[in-house]
Amino acid sequence: MLNPLRQWRAKAKPLLSFSPQPLNFLFFTNPLSVSALESIDDEVSPIDTSDPLRFLARQIVTGFNTIGPRRVLCCPEFKTLVLSLNAKQVEDIIDFLREKNPKCAVVLFNLLKNDLGFQHCRISWFVVAHILAKKRRFNKLREVLQEFVDHEGSGSAPVLCELLLKRFRGWDSNGQVWDMLVSVYSRNELVQDALFVLAKMKKLNFQPFISTYNNLLYNLRHTDIMWDVYNDIMENGIRPTEYTNAILIDGLCKQYKMEDALAYFSEKERKDISPSLVSLNTLMSGFCKMGFTGVAKSFFCLMLKYGLVPDTYSYNILINGLCVAGSMEEALEFAYDMEKQGLEPDNITYNTIAKGFRLLGLVSGAWKVMQKVLLRELDPDLVKYTLLICGHCQIGNTKEGFKLLKEMFLRGFQMSIISYNVLLSSLCKSGRVHEAKKLLHEMESNGLNPDLTTYSILISGFCRQGEVEVAILLYKDMCSKQIFPNSFSHGAILSGLCETDTINVARMYFDSLVKIDLVVDVVIYNIMIDKYAKIGDVGEAVKLYMQIIEKGIMPTVVTFNSIIYAFCKMGKLAGARRWLEVMKVHGIVPSIVTYTTLINGCSEQGNTNGMLKLLWEMEAEAVEPNSITYTVVIKGLCKQGKMPESLEILDDMYCKGLLPDQITYNIIIQSFCRTRDIRNAFLLHDDMLMHNLQPSAATYNILIDALCQYGELKDADWLHTVLQNQGVRLSKVALTTMIKAHCAKGDVYKAKELFQQMAELGFNVTLKDYSAVINRLCNRSFIVPAKSFLHMMLYNGISPDEELCTMMLDTFKQVGEFSSAFELLSLMIKSGLLPD
DNA sequence: GTAGGGTTAG
């Protein structure tokens, strides 16, 4: 699109060419026109055509009053005429109209700006602002100044103040315009500009409204400047409001100054100012975030003592605190209590509790206890059912969730959209997106309208499964229902798109978000940056980082972690370290993820010294390594064949109470297998069992693979049988490994048995699997079984590709199996695969 | 003015 300003200038002609004659169309025979015309001038004078601008202004008023602004605007002559004016001329007209007919001035200003894309000069903006302020239309005033400030951007305060001071001093409502300017700057988080205007106001003896101060305080609550503003309020003798206090408390909590927050709160209390619910909620939230749920609970009691009724915020804040602290039982009690007090738990409550279950799911046996709590009273109600569904889904038991949904339905409960969303999310997480889509239709037929959450879950689910087309259809479906994604759902969708193999689709979506600009926060950037980091595109990741900085968005620790990851992935360790410094310069404290990423970078390069140095550095910065950090260190040591050292670290982990998981063990086991030390590999496997750690599918893949390669195939078969008897299912990879090994050794019978088993277990057997087997059989000239596998493949509806056919054809020719060769040839011709 | 959710490491 062409820049409106340029468009305007292209059409602009010098005013000299202006002549009033063509404007006669604006005069109407309607008697109204006469009075309208008279109303703009005090003395009823004959039309004066010698001052063209004044004349035009009058005509505009006449037109607006007789046929309405819209229709005036539609007159091509009017448009042409107006488009020939420059900003200064429009400014004169608007200023003239301000005295004669201020309403017309505002209408003209807006029409030109919105319908013709006219760029007004600063004076026009302020003239209109003053008109609105005088009429006390503060919402409109805010809107206009908001747009003005958006346009002027950061650092514009000095220029605007200068103008206000020189051109508008003494105008009616000048103070309100100043005041609103502070408010708008601070809302836009242009704090420096806001403070600048505030200082000028002080010099002019204009007193800002307390709401303006509150606005500014809110945007400064993360910093100490908050106190300067607060002192300013006090010095000016302005009474702080409830809001002021709540913001200050929130600010102190956000700065982790809990004692100061408490002191401030008690000071107000001493002054007999009874605390507001919001202040108490804020304090609860602050203490919960610090992990002090006990203190938070006492504030809850304090509320009751003051006769304040806890609201949904109070409950959700406390429930969240308890969930994060692992006190699920209490969290659930509060959720019940909430309902008893007539407050329905909402989306936020359930989301929070679901997160609690998820966190608790890591503790074995916890769910059983929770289930008992939930079922303590025999008849579950809507809340309990929803909570139960949350719990089952979070531990991956979607089936039980469905059972409960059905039960709810049979017992005549009014189904809630939340239960469905929980189930949908569970299905999508396990990749069962098509079942999820069916459930969507079911909920719709039950008269429930899917909401933003529903669509976000499904869209990101389909994206993650690589079915972008379905996701796009759902997206369109959603928008057609007037449901528009917010920053959170955009994030969900974008990260879903990032899971698909091409980055282009994700980038296109990202670019479209950036273009509308409203919803792009740092997380959206983080998602995109991380995608580039994962594919090793350091350049693009850094480019996006630069964009963040240019836009004045504060990068987070995640932003830096992803960039550091990108550098490590490309083996540019020096670069990664430089970014660690950049991060510190921004005042962002490196996290455990930062250090683990860097250590992994060193470990990949076999740089043990680098790893150790980083471990010390972590210690110095008081960042405690976790089991992932140690696993990375073990990986590094294993890579260099330092097996005894690896085992030592494993012991250290147990000593420090950091439990190694399957991945930790798999790394060591694999390393032993690589050195053909199968004995030690199996000893570690036993060690896992001893520590109550169930080996994962990957563990058995590694072990089976090792047995097939270096050990006895018999042992692999034996392990397979043992696992089968224990009900442990081997992965497809492990089965394929065994099949290939049996083929290579010539045990066709066993290979076929395993192959059939693979299909029976529901694994998706592909052309690649068949090709791998047939290839090995052909290599050993096992013609009959090779043919038999080919037939099995054709029977199952899989056609061979050219590569497979050519390979078989060559084998058949070599061993003189001409009839088989001809048979294959005819098959190839039928399939359109003609040999050279 | 107060609550969660979308993003990072083995």
Side-chain angles (χ1 to χ4, degrees):
Chain A
M1 216 178 73
L2 207 64
N3 177 343
L5 183 65
R6 227 181 291 157
Q7 235 170 352
W8 180 278
R9 284 200 181 130
K11 285 179 194 162
K13 289 170 208 153
L15 189 66
L16 287 175
S17 68
F18 175 85
S19 105
Q21 278 79 22
L23 270 181
N24 289 336
F25 75 94
L26 277 175
F27 292 109
F28 304 95
T29 49
N30 186 330
L32 247 179
S33 65
V34 180
S35 59
L37 194 61
E38 282 165 356
S39 71
I40 74 163
D41 243 330
D42 299 326
E43 75 272 29
V44 183
S45 53
I47 311 298
D48 172 17
T49 56
S50 67
D51 182 346
L53 282 180
R54 196 166 271 232
F55 179 72
L56 176 58
R58 285 195 186 130
Q59 299 218 19
I60 288 167
V61 175
T62 313
F64 281 7
N65 285 336
T66 49
I67 57 170
R70 285 271 145 223
R71 283 168 64 191
V72 169
L73 190 71
C74 289
C75 289
E77 292 89 344
F78 174 80
K79 234 187 209 164
T80 318
L81 180 77
V82 160
L83 283 170
S84 74
L85 301 174
N86 62 31
K88 177 79 182 87
Q89 291 159 347
V90 170
E91 174 204 314
D92 285 341
I93 293 176
I94 286 175
D95 193 28
F96 171 73
L97 286 176
R98 175 179 60 90
E99 287 180 38
K100 306 296 176 190
N101 193 329
K103 191 179 168 192
C104 278
V106 177
V107 173
L108 178 70
F109 177 84
N110 284 327
L111 274 181
L112 292 185
K113 173 168 65 69
N114 302 336
D115 295 52
L116 298 180
F118 184 72
Q119 303 271 334
H120 288 292
C121 64
R122 288 176 179 140
I123 294 181
S124 297
W125 284 92
F126 274 140
V127 169
V128 168
H130 280 84
I131 295 172
L132 294 169
K134 192 176 168 188
K135 292 191 167 208
R136 309 191 65 74
R137 292 176 64 191
F138 293 121
N139 283 338
K140 280 279 166 228
L141 172 61
R142 180 185 298 283
E143 270 173 36
V144 165
L145 285 185
Q146 175 70 55
E147 205 182 328
F148 188 30
V149 162
D150 275 350
H151 191 254
E152 294 289 328
S154 146
S156 54
V159 178
L160 298 192
C161 285
E162 175 90 2
L163 190 59
L164 269 179
L165 210 61
K166 286 211 167 134
R167 180 77 170 21
F168 295 90
R169 198 163 186 180
W171 280 40
D172 280 346
S173 309
N174 185 228
Q176 275 93 318
V177 174
W178 280 92
D179 187 90
M180 192 60 88
L181 194 58
V182 179
S183 167
V184 167
Y185 270 128
S186 60
R187 271 195 189 210
N188 280 17
E189 290 176 27
L190 299 173
V191 176
Q192 291 311 319
D193 287 283
L195 289 172
F196 187 91
V197 184
L198 192 73
K200 287 274 173 209
M201 275 181 89
K202 254 173 120 179
K203 278 193 187 154
L204 291 168
N205 268 330
F206 282 133
Q207 194 167 79
F209 288 123
I210 185 66
S211 56
T212 304
Y213 271 121
N214 286 345
N215 232 323
L216 193 52
L217 268 182
Y218 179 70
N219 287 299
L220 288 166
R221 70 196 191 289
H222 297 277
T223 66
D224 278 338
I225 314 173
M226 178 170 83
W227 288 115
D228 298 338
V229 178
Y230 180 74
N231 292 333
D232 208 43
I233 295 176
M234 292 325 230
E235 279 165 22
N236 277 326
I238 303 173
R239 258 181 80 93
T241 61
E242 261 182 19
Y243 295 168
T244 321
N245 295 332
I247 295 166
L248 267 157
I249 292 174
D250 186 39
L252 290 169
C253 291
K254 291 256 172 356
Q255 295 178 47
Y256 303 107
K257 295 176 176 162
M258 302 315 290
E259 278 177 30
D260 294 346
L262 262 181
Y264 184 85
F265 175 78
S266 334
E267 186 199 319
K268 294 290 150 192
E269 214 184 356
R270 268 200 304 280
K271 288 185 182 162
D272 275 344
I273 301 169
S274 63
S276 70
L277 188 61
V278 177
S279 287
L280 280 160
N281 283 346
T282 307
L283 275 171
M284 282 207 311
S285 164
F287 279 102
C288 281
K289 286 207 174 96
M290 305 285 290
F292 300 123
T293 46
V295 185
K297 271 191 285 182
S298 60
F299 279 112
F300 195 85
C301 298
L302 202 62
M303 269 177 203
L304 302 171
K305 200 184 119 194
Y306 277 114
L308 293 167
V309 184
D311 62 1
T312 315
Y313 280 93
S314 323
Y315 277 101
N316 283 344
I317 288 167
L318 201 50
I319 289 171
N320 184 47
L322 291 166
C323 283
V324 172
S327 313
M328 278 309 283
E329 225 176 302
E330 270 184 290
L332 294 175
E333 295 296 346
F334 273 101
Y336 296 162
D337 188 54
M338 192 173 174
E339 193 199 13
K340 276 189 209 130
Q341 306 301 323
L343 291 169
E344 277 292 304
D346 60 5
N347 245 319
I348 297 179
T349 322
Y350 289 113
N351 265 335
T352 308
I353 289 181
K355 179 184 69 184
F357 282 133
R358 195 170 63 235
L359 294 174
L360 207 68
L362 304 169
V363 182
S364 66
W367 170 242
K368 285 263 173 284
V369 180
M370 283 306 119
Q371 217 176 341
K372 262 190 201 149
V373 176
L374 282 163
L375 292 169
R376 207 161 44 201
E377 287 155 58
L378 279 174
D379 246 0
D381 59 9
L382 182 68
V383 172
K384 279 189 197 171
Y385 266 121
T386 317
L387 289 172
L388 270 170
I389 294 177
C390 276
H392 280 296
C393 287
Q394 284 303 330
I395 59 158
N397 192 352
T398 321
K399 206 172 153 190
E400 193 60 31
F402 269 110
K403 225 174 99 188
L404 285 163
L405 191 78
K406 201 174 161 197
E407 203 178 303
M408 279 171 87
F409 186 72
L410 290 174
R411 294 178 61 176
F413 279 104
Q414 173 59 48
M415 303 301 279
S416 87
I417 195 159
I418 297 173
S419 336
Y420 276 104
N421 284 348
V422 170
L423 274 164
L424 284 170
S425 152
S426 179
L427 286 175
C428 286
K429 261 185 211 136
S430 49
R432 294 154 66 186
V433 285
H434 289 281
E435 287 170 71
K437 199 153 173 250
K438 257 197 218 153
L439 190 64
L440 173 78
H441 295 312
E442 186 194 308
M443 81 189 254
E444 280 178 314
S445 60
N446 282 340
L448 286 171
N449 289 324
D451 63 4
L452 182 56
T453 316
T454 320
Y455 276 110
S456 307
I457 292 168
L458 279 162
I459 292 171
S460 69
F462 273 101
C463 287
R464 277 177 212 279
Q465 286 305 109
E467 298 196 42
V468 185
E469 298 79 16
V470 186
I472 292 172
L473 283 178
L474 281 161
Y475 188 83
K476 286 185 179 156
D477 194 31
M478 172 177 82
C479 292
S480 73
K481 289 181 182 163
Q482 300 293 307
I483 301 172
F484 300 110
N486 59 16
S487 161
F488 277 90
S489 38
H490 278 306
I493 294 164
L494 183 64
S495 56
L497 286 174
C498 283
E499 295 282 316
T500 62
D501 31 61
T502 63
I503 197 163
N504 292 346
V505 185
R507 183 56 193 255
M508 265 161 60
Y509 187 72
F510 174 81
D511 284 341
S512 72
L513 294 180
V514 171
K515 216 169 169 184
I516 50 172
D517 205 40
L518 285 173
V519 288
V520 183
D521 57 14
V522 68
V523 177
I524 299 283
Y525 270 101
N526 286 349
I527 295 168
M528 204 65 235
I529 288 177
D530 189 60
K531 177 65 178 173
Y532 281 114
K534 288 286 183 302
I535 61 167
D537 191 340
V538 178
E540 205 58 40
V542 173
K543 246 189 189 163
L544 286 176
Y545 169 82
M546 296 301 183
Q547 253 185 55
I548 291 186
I549 301 297
E550 262 168 42
K551 283 195 168 189
I553 299 173
M554 187 70 179
T556 65
V557 65
V558 177
T559 321
F560 287 105
N561 289 346
S562 292
I563 292 177
I564 289 174
Y565 177 94
F567 276 91
C568 288
K569 188 180 165 80
M570 302 313 284
K572 298 177 175 172
L573 235 59
R577 282 222 67 130
R578 268 202 309 280
W579 278 90
L580 181 71
E581 297 312 317
V582 175
M583 172 174 187
K584 288 179 183 169
V585 168
H586 275 80
I588 291 167
V589 184
S591 68
I592 191 162
V593 178
T594 321
Y595 282 111
T596 309
T597 308
L598 279 163
I599 293 175
N600 190 46
C602 288
S603 109
E604 288 291 322
Q605 297 194 344
N607 180 355
T608 314
N609 277 338
M611 294 198 320
L612 292 176
K613 258 170 86 179
L614 281 162
L615 275 173
W616 291 328
E617 219 174 299
M618 274 176 92
E619 208 176 326
E621 304 261 353
V623 181
E624 282 285 313
N626 63 11
S627 59
I628 300 182
T629 320
Y630 279 113
T631 304
V632 168
V633 173
I634 288 175
K635 202 176 100 185
L637 293 170
C638 284
K639 213 179 159 89
Q640 298 177 56
K642 296 181 173 161
M643 298 316 289
E645 289 88 339
S646 300
L647 292 175
E648 224 168 274
I649 304 262
L650 188 69
D651 276 341
D652 280 355
M653 285 177 80
Y654 279 111
C655 291
K656 289 191 171 142
L658 293 170
L659 295 184
D661 63 5
Q662 284 94 342
I663 300 179
T664 321
Y665 275 99
N666 290 349
I667 287 168
I668 311 177
I669 292 175
Q670 188 165 42
S671 203
F672 274 124
C673 289
R674 284 214 178 105
T675 57
R676 302 195 172 203
D677 189 346
I678 293 177
R679 198 184 107 85
N680 268 318
F682 271 91
L683 280 177
L684 275 163
H685 165 266
D686 297 344
D687 195 49
M688 283 175 92
L689 294 176
M690 238 165 59
H691 283 99
N692 244 336
L693 192 63
Q694 178 59 44
S696 66
T699 319
Y700 289 116
N701 286 343
I702 296 165
L703 289 172
I704 296 265
D705 194 56
L707 287 174
C708 291
Q709 273 194 60
Y710 310 122
E712 290 291 321
L713 204 46
K714 280 200 317 265
D715 293 335
D717 286 334
W718 167 80
L719 180 60
H720 179 208
T721 317
V722 171
L723 291 173
Q724 257 182 330
N725 293 339
Q726 287 175 9
V728 177
R729 216 178 97 157
L730 275 192
S731 72
K732 189 184 157 188
V733 181
L735 285 170
T736 319
T737 309
M738 287 179 71
I739 293 165
K740 285 183 209 161
H742 279 295
C743 287
K745 288 252 165 90
D747 190 345
V748 181
Y749 176 77
K750 190 75 193 163
K752 215 165 177 176
E753 185 191 309
L754 285 166
F755 205 91
Q756 266 154 357
Q757 220 175 65
M758 188 160 77
E760 279 160 19
L761 285 167
F763 288 116
N764 182 24
V765 186
T766 62
L767 171 65
K768 219 178 125 194
D769 301 317
Y770 282 103
S771 300
V773 170
I774 296 171
N775 205 338
R776 280 170 180 76
L777 293 172
C778 284
N779 276 344
R780 298 203 50 161
S781 304
F782 287 129
I783 302 303
V784 179
K787 275 168 69 182
S788 151
F789 268 99
L790 178 69
H791 288 137
M792 199 199 303
M793 180 173 117
L794 292 171
Y795 179 80
N796 285 312
I798 299 173
S799 309
D801 61 358
E802 201 179 325
E803 200 188 333
L804 178 63
C805 289
T806 319
M807 189 270 303
M808 288 183 81
L809 211 55
D810 287 346
T811 311
F812 292 160
K813 281 183 203 156
Q814 268 168 30
V815 296
E817 274 280 338
F818 294 111
S819 62
S820 302
F822 282 126
E823 201 186 324
L824 185 61
L825 261 173
S826 76
L827 174 76
M828 287 170 76
I829 292 163
K830 262 191 263 167
S831 319
L833 299 168
L834 282 172
D836 297 327

